[in-house]
């Protein structure tokens, strides 16, 4: 027995003191013992998938919540991957996370409430593969029209394989059937189906592949909803016809396959055409071909008959008559053309001879002699005119030399000097007269302003001790004063001063 669970070890006189770890281990043991396997219903919240692929979430209802952990191993085995907000039933065990002292449920299985787990997983895988483009029509391969070897991947003991063989044998017994027996339900069936599809592709001469089984519940058909089967069908180079269950059953394999058949029998009918119908069609087409080919042959025969009845086939020489006439016409044109060519060549030669004659040395010498005489005559004429012009130019220069002699220059300079001397004398005389007149005017002005001129009119100037006497206040009786007259001076003595002036 776990010592931690032995509560009887508490001493009677002293209560036992647990450490945190001891208490946590004790509670964990109790919980794991009491809740080793439980089913719990609740809503998933705070779902988080760690890098380790472990999923952590909280399972809650209206009043409580429990932490849950879904380890990678259990999570990989789930057909349904939980999502935030899902209402689920989970199966697991209760334990305690020692590090935080929190109790939690270790989840081992999850099922959605309401929609079944398989249906939920079906929808999730369908959405995933659809996003990857595995359902695109562009990826689907055409089913061969006349397959000669059909591969079948199904259970060897089911009714489906018998239906497929019967239909193929009835429609075309010459078609070969290669059966790869697999388990179509239960553990490992999906992987067997996927491996069988891959093996069929390695065989190499299979024209079309039927993958299917008979009807059943969704659990029975689930192998055809597995991702491994879907990817094997998608990767198959052989066109695949899915034939799973009945017409109302849809699996992931139906969406991925190149053609979906509602039943295995229908798959055989869709894959293998009826041989008799094909042969009948071939006979019909052969007849149509012969009719179609015979009509133009007959037309060509009639046309050939018409041609062979024509005259030039009965008388072949008649064919060459127009050609012979054409040959004569061309011969005549050739002869005419040659004659005209000869005439043109003759004219051309004559013109060349004339040009050669004109360019002969004798003609050139005659032209040069004529040119020489003409130049000599022009030279003599030019020399005579040059002598006259030269004589006239010499006379002009002699005239300019005479005009430019020193005697003439001295004479011109003397005349120039005389003229300038005369102009200078006249200019000086006029300036002297002008200055003289100006001086006389100034003298007259000065004389009119001189005090002596005033004295000449009878006035006098009285001074005392060198200063002019301007008032009777400047002197007093007995003072000696000097009176300046126009001519001479008077030394006087003041007898009396008076303010009264006789007018």
């Amino acid at each position: 027995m776990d010592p931690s669970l032995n509560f009887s070890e508490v001493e009677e006189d002293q209560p036992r003191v647990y450490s945190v770890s001891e208490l946590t281990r004790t509670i964990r043991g109790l919980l794991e013992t009491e809740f080793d396997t439980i089913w719990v219903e609740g809503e998933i919240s705070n779902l988080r998938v760690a890098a380790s692929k472990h999923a952590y979430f909280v399972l809650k209802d209206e009043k409580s919540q429990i932490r849950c952990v879904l380890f990678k191993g259990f999570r990989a085995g789930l057909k349904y991957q939980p999502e935030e907000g899902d209402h689920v039933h989970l199966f697991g065990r209760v334990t305690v996370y020692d590090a935080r002292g929190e109790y939690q449920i270790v989840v081992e299985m999850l099922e959605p409430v309401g929609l079944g787990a398989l249906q939920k997983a079906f929808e999730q895988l369908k959405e995933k593969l659809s996003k990857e483009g595995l359902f695109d029509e562009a990826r689907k391969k055409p089913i061969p029209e006349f397959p000669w070897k059909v591969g079948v991947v199904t259970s060897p003991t089911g009714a489906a394989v018998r239906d497929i063989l019967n239909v193929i044998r009835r429609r075309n017994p010459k078609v070969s059937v290669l059966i790869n027996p697999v388990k179509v339900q239960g553990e490992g069936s999906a992987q067997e189906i996927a491996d069988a599809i891959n093996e069929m592709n390695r065989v190499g001469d299979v024209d079309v592949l039927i993958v299917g089984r008979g009807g059943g519940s969704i659990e029975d058909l689930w192998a055809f909803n597995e991702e491994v089967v879907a990817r094997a069908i998608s990767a198959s180079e052989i066109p695949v016809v899915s034939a799973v269950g009945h017409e109302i059953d849809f699996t992931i394999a139906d969406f991925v396959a190149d053609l979906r058949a509602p039943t295995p029998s229908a798959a055989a009918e869709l894959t293998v055409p009826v041989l008799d119908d094909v042969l009948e069609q071939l006979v019909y087409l052969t007849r149509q071909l012969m009719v179609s080919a015979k009509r133009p042959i007959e037309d060509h025969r009639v046309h050939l008959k018409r041609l062979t009845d024509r005259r030039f086939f009965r008388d072949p020489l008649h064919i060459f008559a127009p050609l012979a006439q054409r040959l004569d016409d061309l011969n005549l044109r050739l002869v005419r053309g040659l004659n005209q060519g000869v005439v043109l060549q003759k004219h051309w030669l004559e013109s060349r001879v004339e040009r050669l004659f004109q360019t002969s040395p004798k003609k050139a010498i005659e032209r040069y002699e004529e040119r020489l005489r003409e130049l000599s005559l022009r030279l003599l004429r030019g020399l005579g005119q040059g002598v006259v012009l030269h004589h006239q130019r010499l006379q002009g220069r002699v005239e300019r030399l005479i005009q430019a002699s020193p005697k003439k220059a001295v004479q011109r300079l003397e005349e120039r000097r005389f003229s300038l001397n005369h102009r200078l004398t006249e200019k000086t005389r006029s300036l002297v007269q002008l200055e003289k007149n100006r001086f006389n005017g100034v003298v007259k002005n000065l004389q009119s302003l001189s005090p002596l001129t005033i004295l000449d009119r009878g006035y006098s100037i009285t001074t005392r001790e060198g200063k002019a006497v301007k008032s009777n206040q400047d002197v007093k009786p007995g003072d000696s004063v000097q009176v300046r007259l126009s001519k001479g001076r008077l030394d006087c003595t003041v007898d009396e001063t008076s303010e009264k002036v006789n007018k």
Side-chain angles (χ1 to χ4, degrees):
M1 185 176 181
D2 190 345
S4 61
L5 301 177
N6 186 4
F7 296 95
S8 66
E9 292 181 357
V10 180
E11 297 181 0
E12 296 178 355
D13 56 345
Q14 186 175 0
R16 178 179 177 180
V17 178
Y18 289 90
S19 66
V20 176
S21 300
E22 288 174 340
L23 181 59
T24 302
R25 285 198 301 270
T26 302
I27 294 174
R28 185 182 63 185
L30 290 171
L31 290 175
E32 290 181 349
T33 302
E34 184 67 21
F35 302 102
D36 183 53
T37 56
I38 59 168
W39 282 93
V40 184
E41 178 180 349
E43 180 181 328
I44 293 176
S45 176
N46 296 328
L47 175 64
R48 177 173 60 87
V49 178
S52 59
K53 305 298 183 184
H54 303 322
Y56 301 91
F57 58 92
V58 172
L59 190 70
K60 66 179 184 180
D61 57 14
E62 293 79 4
K63 296 180 180 179
S64 302
Q65 62 181 19
I66 306 171
R67 292 188 178 276
C68 300
V69 56
L70 178 59
F71 290 117
K72 179 173 66 175
F74 294 113
R75 182 166 171 261
L78 293 179
K79 298 183 183 302
Y80 151 74
Q81 293 299 321
E83 296 178 351
E84 184 76 16
D86 284 355
H87 194 190
V88 298
H89 287 162
L90 64 79
F91 173 81
R93 57 186 172 85
V94 179
T95 185
V96 173
Y97 182 46
D98 295 347
R100 288 201 293 266
E102 296 177 348
Y103 86 95
Q104 63 183 11
I105 299 176
V106 178
V107 181
E108 299 178 3
M109 188 169 63
L110 269 174
E111 286 186 357
V113 177
L115 186 65
L118 294 179
Q119 186 62 32
K120 184 75 175 180
F122 174 85
E123 296 296 338
Q124 288 181 344
L125 181 59
K126 180 181 175 184
E127 182 181 358
K128 175 184 176 183
L129 298 181
S130 178
K131 290 180 179 178
E132 293 181 15
L134 267 65
F135 303 162
D136 293 348
E137 291 296 327
R139 294 173 57 92
K140 297 185 183 300
K141 295 175 283 294
I143 305 300
E145 191 172 1
F146 301 105
W148 291 107
K149 190 170 187 179
V150 177
V152 178
V153 177
T154 187
S155 171
T157 58
V161 67
R162 292 195 299 273
D163 295 341
I164 292 172
L165 291 175
N166 289 334
V167 171
I168 292 177
R169 190 178 301 113
R170 185 178 67 248
R171 296 175 68 86
N172 188 354
K174 297 186 179 299
V175 171
S176 300
V177 178
L178 179 61
I179 300 174
N180 194 331
V182 295
K183 186 169 61 176
V184 294
Q185 69 181 65
E187 189 70 23
S189 57
Q191 189 61 50
E192 284 192 23
I193 295 170
D195 293 341
I197 294 171
N198 296 330
E199 288 175 3
M200 285 293 191
N201 277 271
R202 289 194 290 271
V203 170
D205 59 346
V206 178
D207 297 323
V208 64
L209 189 61
I210 298 175
V211 180
R213 54 153 293 161
S217 64
I218 186 171
E219 290 81 4
D220 295 337
L221 305 180
W222 189 254
F224 295 90
N225 288 322
E226 294 286 356
E227 184 175 354
V228 63
V229 175
R231 295 198 178 279
I233 294 174
S234 176
S236 174
E237 296 181 358
I238 304 171
V240 177
V241 178
S242 68
V244 183
H246 302 296
E247 187 170 0
I248 59 173
D249 298 324
F250 278 89
T251 62
I252 296 297
D254 293 332
F255 294 106
V256 183
D258 301 301
L259 178 65
R260 176 188 179 266
T263 62
S265 300
E269 292 177 354
L270 293 172
T271 305
V272 179
V274 178
L275 179 60
D276 294 339
D277 295 343
V278 174
L279 293 176
E280 184 178 349
Q281 184 69 14
L282 285 175
V283 171
Y284 171 75
L285 293 176
T286 303
R287 290 174 180 172
Q288 292 294 323
L289 179 62
M290 292 181 65
V291 171
S292 301
K294 186 177 180 181
R295 185 177 298 115
I297 291 174
E298 183 64 24
D299 294 341
H300 289 304
R301 190 185 63 78
V302 173
H303 184 61
L304 180 61
K305 180 68 170 55
R306 292 176 182 173
L307 292 176
T308 54
D309 291 341
R310 290 188 176 182
R311 179 183 298 174
F312 57 83
F313 280 110
R314 295 194 307 271
D315 185 9
L317 294 178
H318 183 72
I319 299 173
F320 300 100
L323 299 177
Q325 184 179 356
R326 176 66 176 167
L327 180 61
D328 293 339
D329 185 34
L330 292 175
N331 188 29
L332 180 59
R333 292 172 61 183
L334 177 62
V335 172
R336 290 175 181 175
L338 289 174
N339 292 334
Q340 290 178 356
V342 170
V343 172
L344 291 175
Q345 288 293 329
K346 181 179 179 182
H347 288 308
W348 181 77
L349 289 174
E350 288 177 353
S351 66
R352 288 299 181 95
V353 169
E354 183 65 24
R355 290 172 61 184
L356 288 173
F357 180 74
Q358 292 295 331
T359 57
S360 65
K362 182 178 179 181
K363 283 288 182 182
I365 292 172
E366 289 178 356
R367 286 198 301 273
Y368 289 143
E369 288 177 351
E370 182 66 24
R371 177 66 175 168
L372 181 60
R373 286 194 294 271
E374 182 180 354
L375 292 175
S376 298
L377 183 58
R378 291 172 62 183
L379 178 61
L380 291 175
R381 292 174 182 173
L383 287 174
Q385 293 176 356
V387 170
V388 174
L389 291 175
H390 188 66
H391 178 70
Q392 292 177 353
R393 190 179 298 116
L394 287 176
Q395 285 183 347
R397 290 182 177 180
V398 169
E399 288 293 332
R400 286 199 296 274
L401 286 174
I402 293 173
Q403 294 296 329
S405 65
K407 184 177 180 180
K408 287 287 183 180
V410 171
Q411 186 177 357
R412 284 197 299 274
L413 290 174
E414 186 63 27
E415 291 175 353
R416 176 71 174 170
R417 185 191 63 78
F418 179 75
S419 175
L420 292 175
N421 189 25
H422 177 70
R423 291 171 62 185
L424 180 61
T425 303
E426 291 297 327
K427 187 68 175 180
T428 302
R429 184 181 296 114
S430 64
L431 289 175
V432 169
Q433 185 62 37
L434 179 63
E435 293 298 329
K436 183 178 180 181
N437 294 335
R438 186 182 299 167
F439 179 75
N440 291 333
V442 171
V443 169
K444 289 179 179 179
N445 291 333
L446 289 175
Q447 286 179 350
S448 62
L449 298 175
S450 176
L452 296 178
T453 304
I454 298 173
L455 294 178
D456 289 338
R457 291 201 299 268
Y459 294 94
S460 62
I461 301 171
T462 303
T463 60
R464 178 179 176 267
E465 295 178 355
K467 295 182 178 179
V469 178
K470 300 178 181 179
S471 172
N472 60 342
Q473 300 295 330
D474 295 337
V475 294
K476 59 184 183 287
D479 288 345
S480 297
V481 295
Q482 292 80 33
V483 178
R484 175 69 184 269
L485 303 175
S486 172
K487 293 180 181 178
R489 189 183 65 180
L490 297 177
D491 294 326
C492 301
T493 302
V494 179
D495 294 333
E496 183 180 2
T497 62
S498 176
E499 295 290 339
K500 186 176 179 181
V501 178
N502 296 324
K503 295 182 180 180

